[in-house]
């Protein structure tokens, strides 16, 4: 059932990314420069600033008794690392030029994928009361990257899909019974065309 839901999420995310590519220019025009403080805040919250925060939570979790907080901090750290690795692989494989032409690492949005991976872990451990605000914050970070002219809408949707898949997978693998089957395999395949950027994700256990 879990595998089915993850496969469905990957397919929906890929379809949304492909569809969004048709609105990349329009969305850029609507959001760029509309809220400079939002763009600056989003750049900080979804970027390097999150590393020491997650690191501090991980250390705190090692001193906490066995329970939800300890498990969550481990999953936060692992999700950040795994998501960072896959995001980097995709960025250097696809080589899409950013809207501001600063480099060719636009696809997918790393700030967005990081934010959604952490939001998904929070939702899985603490439920919708924490998950909904976390997802709203992650969405705001994604939109702020468009406002900052660092990403297109399709980059952001691809990042959100990747982050969601990574978060779900990390929590599921770490939460399986100790005598259960080991390991999981995540397959990420970029779909790149002249006007298309998409991410196909498959998870097998």
């Amino acid at each position: 059932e879990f595998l089915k839901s993850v496969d469905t999420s990957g397919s929906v995310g890929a379809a949304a990314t492909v569809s969004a590519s048709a609105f990349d220019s329009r969305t850029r025009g609507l959001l760029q420069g509309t809220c400079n403080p939002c763009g600056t805040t989003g750049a900080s919250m979804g970027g390097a600033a999150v590393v020491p925060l997650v690191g501090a939570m991980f250390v705190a979790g090692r001193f906490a008794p066995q329970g939800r907080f300890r498990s969550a901090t481990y999953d936060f750290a692992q999700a950040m690392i795994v998501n960072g690795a896959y995001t980097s692989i995709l960025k250097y494989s696809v080589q899409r030029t950013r809207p501001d032409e600063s480099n060719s690492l636009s696809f997918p949005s790393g700030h967005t994928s990081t934010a959604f991976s952490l939001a998904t872990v929070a939702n899985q451990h603490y439920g919708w009361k924490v998950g909904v605000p976390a997802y709203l914050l992650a969405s705001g970070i994604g939109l702020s990257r468009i406002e900052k002219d660092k990403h297109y809408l399709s980059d952001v949707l691809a990042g959100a899909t990747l982050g969601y898949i990574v978060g779900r997978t990390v929590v599921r693998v770490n939460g399986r019974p100790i005598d259960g089957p080991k390991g999981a395999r995540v397959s990420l395949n970029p779909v790149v065309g002249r006007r298309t950027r998409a991410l196909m994700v498959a998870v097998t256990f």
Side-chain angles (χ1 to χ4, degrees), residues 57-74 125-126:
M57 291 180 64
F58 177 79
V59 172
R62 297 321 94 200
F63 291 98
Q66 292 289 343
R68 182 163 58 179
F69 175 73
R70 182 183 177 93
S71 299
T73 58
Y74 185 85
H125 280 281
Y126 294 100

Side-chain angles (χ1 to χ4, degrees), residues 9-185:
S9 301
S11 299
V12 171
T17 301
V18 172
S19 300
S21 63
F23 300 94
D24 280 345
S25 296
R26 184 179 304 178
T27 308
R28 180 190 180 197
L30 288 173
L31 294 181
Q32 185 181 358
T34 57
C35 180
N36 289 326
C38 299
T40 302
T41 301
S44 300
M45 295 183 67
V50 77
V51 176
L53 175 61
V54 173
M57 291 180 64
F58 177 79
V59 172
R62 297 321 94 200
F63 291 98
Q66 292 289 343
R68 182 163 58 179
F69 175 73
R70 182 183 177 93
S71 299
T73 58
Y74 185 85
D75 288 342
F76 280 133
Q78 187 173 2
M80 184 180 67
I81 294 170
V82 173
N83 177 78
Y86 279 117
T87 299
S88 295
I89 290 171
L90 285 167
K91 281 180 176 291
Y92 284 97
S93 297
V94 176
Q95 290 281 300
R96 186 185 197 185
T97 302
R98 292 185 187 273
D100 65 355
E101 300 185 348
S102 58
N103 60 41
S104 299
L105 302 176
S106 188
F107 183 92
S109 167
H111 285 66
T112 307
S113 64
T114 298
F116 270 86
S117 68
L118 299 179
T120 301
V121 171
N123 183 70
Q124 293 296 104
H125 280 281
Y126 294 100
W128 67 269
K129 290 184 179 180
V130 174
V132 169
Y135 279 126
L136 289 175
L137 177 60
S139 299
I141 289 173
L143 292 176
S144 77
R145 301 305 287 159
I146 302 176
E147 190 281 333
K148 205 68 173 175
D149 206 28
K150 291 296 183 180
H151 290 288
Y152 296 104
L153 177 62
S154 53
D155 300 332
V156 169
L157 289 177
T161 301
L162 174 60
Y164 177 80
I165 295 293
V166 168
R168 285 290 300 272
T169 303
V170 164
V171 174
R172 172 65 178 84
V173 170
N174 290 338
R176 73 162 25 123
I178 194 168
D179 58 349
K182 307 295 182 182
R185 184 169 68 253

